Amino acid sequence: MNAPHELLSRMLTAHPWHGIAPGDPENCVTVYVEIVPTDTVKYELDKESGHLRVDRPQLYSSQPPSLYGFVPQTYCGDSVAARSAERSGVDKLRGDGDPMDVCVLSEKSFAHGGFLLRARAIGGLRMIDGDEADDKIVAVLEKDLGYGTIRDLHEAPKGLVDRLRHYFLSYKQIPGAGPRKVEISEVYGRDEAVEVLRRSIADYRKSFGAPEERLRRLQALLGEG
């Protein structure tokens, strides 16, 4: 056994954001699913514990049109914000400080979130929430019979893309809180989605360090380095 790495991996559950590799943006990425289309409550990862927590009940009848979650070991920071500003023409954007959001298309139904899957990016929505870049990558579930052959977002049903747009433009509008400035400045295809994912991985490594260094640091702390 390669102590302490194998010992820890067998005894402890990996943190969904920090403890799981993101995969390859060119091929398939790993996605941690937080909510499914039938959810009437919005669940969100608790960043400290790694557990799902209730963010809020859905206040309107709007429900997510697809599986929704994030790619582990990604972060919407300076590089993602710079790309959003460059492509949208909106100055002084910053990243929203969360992992990269992903909508995963599948013909299958899922009872609840809190699981991992592999998906291939086909495009995305360049969403700007106030002064924050908040991209939504669109992907297809690996080997999905209904959507698995789609390679680029322009091949997806237009009505589904319209539903995604409507959901993200409306789901943060809280009753009585006044209008919230949310816009989708661009709907982009696979190549741009790959670029955004790469930038989010780079932002993560810049903000949290290289994940592969963590084992070395742990070994050093335990006197095995």
Side-chain angles (χ1 to χ4, degrees), residues 37-95:
T38 54
D39 281 333
T40 57
V41 171
K42 184 179 181 295
Y43 299 98
E44 188 172 276
L45 184 77
D46 181 78
K47 294 177 181 177
E48 293 297 321
S49 69
H51 291 289
L52 279 180
R53 62 175 175 81
V54 173
D55 182 35
R56 64 176 181 273
Q58 297 286 14
L59 298 176
Y60 291 120
S61 59
S62 178
Q63 291 175 270
S66 70
L67 301 172
Y68 182 69
F70 62 86
V71 177
Q73 294 180 4
T74 60
Y75 184 70
C76 293
D78 293 342
S79 184
V80 171
R83 186 67 170 182
S84 183
E86 173 191 345
R87 300 274 295 203
S88 66
V90 178
D91 294 329
K92 298 180 180 178
L93 289 179
R94 57 191 175 92

Side-chain angles (χ1 to χ4, degrees), residues 67-126:
L67 301 172
Y68 182 69
F70 62 86
V71 177
Q73 294 180 4
T74 60
Y75 184 70
C76 293
D78 293 342
S79 184
V80 171
R83 186 67 170 182
S84 183
E86 173 191 345
R87 300 274 295 203
S88 66
V90 178
D91 294 329
K92 298 180 180 178
L93 289 179
R94 57 191 175 92
D96 71 350
D98 289 331
M100 180 56 63
D101 297 321
V102 184
C103 305
V104 181
L105 308 182
S106 172
E107 67 158 352
K108 301 299 184 182
S109 59
F110 296 81
H112 57 79
F115 60 89
L116 298 168
L117 57 78
R118 285 170 54 83
R120 188 179 66 255
I122 61 170
L125 310 178
R126 195 172 309 283

Side-chain angles (χ1 to χ4, degrees), residues 16 20-24 28-32 70-72 102 116-119:
I20 298 168
D24 179 8
C28 281
V29 293
T30 298
V31 176
Y32 179 79
F70 62 86
V71 177
V102 184
L116 298 168
L117 57 78
R118 285 170 54 83

